[in-house]
Amino acid sequence: MMNSRRATGRRSRLMFREHIDGWIFALPWLLGFAIWTLGPMIASLIFAFTDYDMVTPPRWIGMGNLRELIRDPLIVHSLKVTTLYAVASVPLNICLGLILAMLLNSKIRGLRWYRTGYYLPSVLSGVAAALLWRWIFSPDFGLFNLVLSWFGIKGPAWLADERWALPALVIMSLWGVGGGMIIYLAGLQGIPTELYEAAEVDGAGLLAKTFHVTIPMMSPVIFYQLVMGVIGSLQVFTQGYIITAGGPHNATLFYMLHLYRNAFEYFRMGYASVMAWVLFFYILILTLFVFKSSAAWVYYEGQLRGGR
């Protein structure tokens, strides 16, 4: 009996020590989250009800910023531009990343070099890539129009044309497709080969195996990429700021660029805080919608479709 009590006490002390060690290891992240994320969010929520220019003390104005935001025509326009960009760029990045991953999941000579070459652009600086693409899309001496001229096609003005500026930035977004490709590769290599063998026994060809084995088994990875893509694309800023400055004629005025101008060019921190919270809830609603829809198309191994 005495030995049993000693053993129980020893286990309790070990469990308590493990809990303490866990909190100690988590403490740097918790402090960083409290100081750099939670704290600014609370401050932004308070500033949203004030008139604050970072020079004079904040002045409480209640719902004044929200009423002004409702009357601001550029809010709806910038949300529309940002949403169109997301609707076009996210599916393209998902599809192209998955196709590249499937091609690079085969055994070919120099496979490591191909994978490295496609992945490297995704780790380059966003500003450096933006400057590079501004040169590529130059209507006079840009590489894109030069290639089109080889086929007898006269390229548009791209970034100087309000009809083509946003599509040009969507094309540019494909530059970082290698980041998603790596994630898809990891998912492809986790698919059991027995599923492909069983499909071949049933007479399935390449397309049948792709649509009935690969894509269903990759659906959790696609779901993750979709969520992250939606969140990231709705916060796009660098391309619009560096390449087009929101032009021409506000054709690339992304919501984050409009928010940045109000905060750091016009010094309207209270109004910018309201804009930030509107974007937060907009992203939250869309993300919840994606999560809700996942029950119909995301397949988890060992479960029936729909997660039931």
Side-chain angles (χ1 to χ4, degrees):
M1 181 66 70
M2 186 65 68
N3 291 336
S4 177
R5 289 179 179 176
R6 289 177 179 176
T8 302
R10 191 180 298 112
R11 283 196 298 270
S12 300
R13 288 193 297 271
L14 287 174
M15 290 178 62
F16 177 77
R17 195 172 301 169
E18 287 180 356
H19 283 296
I20 296 298
D21 291 342
W23 282 108
I24 290 174
F25 281 112
L27 187 61
W29 183 90
L30 292 173
L31 288 176
F33 176 79
I35 296 172
W36 303 114
T37 302
L38 185 61
M41 288 182 68
I42 296 174
S44 173
L45 183 61
I46 296 173
F47 289 147
F49 298 97
T50 65
D51 180 12
Y52 180 46
D53 60 4
M54 296 192 298
V55 178
T56 58
R59 181 173 60 88
W60 185 268
I61 59 174
M63 304 298 290
N65 286 323
L66 183 59
R67 287 192 293 268
E68 184 177 353
L69 182 140
I70 295 173
R71 295 191 299 265
D72 187 355
L74 289 180
I75 291 294
V76 176
H77 176 75
S78 59
L79 271 178
K80 177 183 175 181
V81 170
T82 307
T83 304
L84 288 174
Y85 174 85
V87 168
S89 64
V90 173
L92 283 175
N93 276 273
I94 289 176
C95 293
L96 186 57
L98 182 57
I99 291 171
L100 280 176
M102 292 172 66
L103 291 175
L104 297 179
N105 195 40
S106 56
K107 295 180 180 180
I108 57 175
R109 182 177 298 179
L111 185 60
R112 293 181 180 178
W113 295 104
Y114 286 117
R115 290 177 177 176
T116 303
Y118 280 111
Y119 177 71
L120 275 179
S122 65
V123 300
L124 295 180
S125 167
V127 175
L131 294 174
L132 172 65
W133 279 92
R134 187 168 66 177
W135 169 77
I136 291 175
F137 282 119
S138 172
D140 300 320
F141 51 83
L143 181 62
F144 218 99
N145 280 357
L146 175 62
V147 173
L148 291 177
S149 67
W150 295 345
F151 300 93
I153 302 174
K154 180 177 174 56
W158 293 111
L159 301 174
D161 188 339
E162 60 182 293
R163 296 172 301 174
W164 288 97
L166 190 61
L169 297 186
V170 171
I171 294 173
M172 178 191 164
S173 70
L174 300 177
W175 172 258
V177 74
M181 178 200 69
I182 294 297
I183 299 176
Y184 289 126
L185 272 173
L188 287 171
Q189 293 175 2
I191 299 177
T193 57
E194 295 83 358
L195 296 178
Y196 291 109
E197 294 171 356
E200 289 178 358
V201 170
D202 290 338
L206 178 61
L207 286 177
K209 287 189 291 185
T210 300
F211 285 102
H212 295 289
V213 178
T214 303
I215 293 180
M217 294 301 295
M218 288 291 292
S219 58
V221 181
I222 296 173
F223 170 67
Y224 168 79
Q225 291 289 80
L226 177 61
V227 171
M228 299 305 295
V230 168
I231 295 173
S233 62
L234 291 176
Q235 299 180 76
V236 62
F237 169 77
T238 305
Q239 296 92 318
Y241 180 70
I242 298 295
I243 300 179
T244 62
H249 305 297
N250 291 329
T252 58
L253 181 63
F254 294 119
Y255 190 88
M256 284 296 297
L257 178 57
H258 188 37
L259 189 156
Y260 170 84
R261 287 176 174 174
N262 278 281
F264 300 106
E265 291 183 9
Y266 313 143
F267 299 106
R268 305 176 65 197
M269 295 301 295
Y271 187 67
S273 296
V274 171
M275 291 182 62
W277 280 100
V278 168
L279 181 63
F280 170 79
F281 284 111
Y282 184 55
I283 293 176
L284 177 63
I285 292 171
L286 291 180
T287 304
L288 291 176
F289 175 77
V290 173
F291 269 89
K292 187 69 175 177
S293 69
S294 67
W297 59 275
V298 179
Y299 172 85
Y300 294 100
E301 187 176 4
Q303 296 180 348
L304 295 176
R305 186 178 299 276
R308 295 178 180 177

